[in-house]
């Protein structure tokens, strides 16, 4: 692999090269992750719709979203009828602090969720619902810090009638630390009434836990590297 090819391979932005029928000729590492949240036909259609009328390159600014991936623009280019390339400019969505792999302890995340639900249900009339993927293994977390984070998230939802906790793998998504790739899983806590005025404290606790959070009007999700060693 040439130095130029390595730049493409390790680019933060997905790059895909198609043949004229929409079959992938080549793609970089980030594009492989993207296709876990999208599909080849959709990306090819976007590329063909926004290609220049003549040979060459065309950049278009637009908002695109595929799962956790958000983009603010694309460049589409071709120099013959046989191949068409697209580069998608990514908006960073997850901000992980580098975890201390040897800190914390191996814990059962289901137990921590149940503990926090039990604690918060005492002071709330909300109905707590759970939708938990049973296949998440024990992971390395700082138990005290992580319980504080979950409790803080539940605390901003307590004025709702129902609070739903969903636990699931993020299929095809990974994060790298020290050249080692870790899968991701998510705890999503959703409700109809979230007090967004307390979101800054959630961000602070997430950083202390070396995890990423997404805070929306009706849910807060915690995205966690699957560290089992």
């Amino acid at each position: 692999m040439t130095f130029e090819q390595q730049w493409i391979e390790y680019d933060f932005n997905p790059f895909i090269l198609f043949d004229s029928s929409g079959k992938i000729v080549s793609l970089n590492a980030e594009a492989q992750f993207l296709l876990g949240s999208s599909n080849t036909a959709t990306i090819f259609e976007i590329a063909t719709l926004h290609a220049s009328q003549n040979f060459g390159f065309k950049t278009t600014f637009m908002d695109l979203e595929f799962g956790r991936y958000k983009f603010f623009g694309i460049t589409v280019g071709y120099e013959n009828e046989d191949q068409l390339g697209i580069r998608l400019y990514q908006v960073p969505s997850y901000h992980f602090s580098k975890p201390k792999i040897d800190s914390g302890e191996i814990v059962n995340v289901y137990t921590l969720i149940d503990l926090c639900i039990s604690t918060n249900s005492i002071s709330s009339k909300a109905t707590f619902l759970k939708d938990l993927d049973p296949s998440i293994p024990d992971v390395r977390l700082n138990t005290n810090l992580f319980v504080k984070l979950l409790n803080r998230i539940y605390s901003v939802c307590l004025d709702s009638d129902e609070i739903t906790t969903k636990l699931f793998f993020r299929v095809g998504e990974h994060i790298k630390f020290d050249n080692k790739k870790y899968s991701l899983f998510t705890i999503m806590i959703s409700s109809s009434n979230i007090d967004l005025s307390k979101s800054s404290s959630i961000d602070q606790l997430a950083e202390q836990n070396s995890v990423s959070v997404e805070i929306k009007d009706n849910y807060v999700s915690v995205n966690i590297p699957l560290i089992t060693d």
Side-chain angles (χ1 to χ4, degrees):
M1 186 181 294
T2 67
F3 183 64
E4 184 178 25
Q5 290 171 329
Q6 290 182 65
W7 271 107
I8 295 175
E9 175 65 16
Y10 297 109
D11 193 347
F12 175 69
N13 300 295
F15 172 80
I16 304 175
L17 183 64
F18 297 98
D19 67 14
S20 58
S21 66
K23 182 179 178 180
I24 292 177
V25 176
S26 65
L27 73 170
N28 66 359
E30 196 65 26
Q32 296 179 44
F33 297 146
L34 170 62
L35 292 177
S37 302
S38 179
N39 61 72
T40 302
T42 298
I43 304 298
F44 181 68
E45 181 179 5
I46 292 171
T48 54
L49 286 175
H50 295 89
S52 63
Q53 293 184 351
N54 302 310
F55 295 148
F57 295 83
K58 179 182 176 183
T59 297
T60 304
F61 293 99
M62 63 176 69
D63 293 324
L64 295 171
E65 185 170 346
F66 304 100
R68 79 168 175 91
Y69 288 91
K70 297 180 181 179
F71 304 96
F72 64 87
I74 61 173
T75 293
V76 179
Y78 66 114
E79 59 182 10
N80 55 54
E81 300 290 348
D82 298 326
Q83 295 184 336
L84 176 71
I86 180 173
R87 184 186 187 194
L88 299 96
Y89 299 103
Q90 185 170 182
V91 177
S93 56
Y94 291 177
H95 302 279
F96 288 91
S97 299
K98 181 180 176 180
K100 296 179 179 178
I101 305 301
D102 58 349
S103 67
E105 50 277 336
I106 301 297
V107 297
N108 185 293
V109 70
Y110 305 97
T111 300
L112 300 186
I113 291 173
D114 286 340
L115 173 64
C116 293
I117 288 177
S118 177
T119 299
N120 287 274
S121 62
I122 296 173
S123 57
S124 175
K125 296 181 180 179
T127 300
F128 286 78
L129 305 174
K130 294 188 294 184
D131 179 10
L132 309 182
D133 184 330
S135 63
I136 307 292
D138 291 353
V139 296
R140 185 173 295 281
L141 293 168
N142 184 309
T143 302
N144 291 332
L145 282 175
F146 195 73
V147 167
K148 286 182 180 179
L149 173 61
L150 288 186
N151 279 334
R152 192 56 170 168
I153 296 172
Y154 281 117
S155 74
V156 305
C157 302
L158 293 181
D159 288 337
S160 303
D161 293 329
E162 287 186 353
I163 301 172
T164 301
T165 303
K166 186 176 182 180
L167 175 65
F168 57 95
F169 275 111
R170 302 197 74 93
V171 178
E173 301 183 26
H174 305 81
I175 194 75
K176 278 188 176 181
F177 297 116
D178 295 331
N179 295 318
K180 187 172 182 179
K181 186 166 66 176
Y182 297 95
S183 299
L184 298 172
F185 69 96
T186 291
I187 299 173
M188 178 182 289
I189 299 170
S190 58
S191 69
S192 59
N193 186 10
I194 292 180
D195 186 354
L196 295 177
S197 67
K198 301 177 181 177
S199 61
S200 60
S201 61
I202 294 174
D203 288 329
Q204 292 170 5
L205 284 166
E207 185 173 355
Q208 293 175 28
N209 277 277
S210 301
V211 299
S212 168
V213 292
E214 292 179 282
I215 303 173
K216 302 294 185 181
D217 291 338
N218 60 346
Y219 73 84
V220 179
S221 65
V222 185
N223 307 298
I224 308 161
L226 191 67
I227 300 173
T228 58
D229 50 10

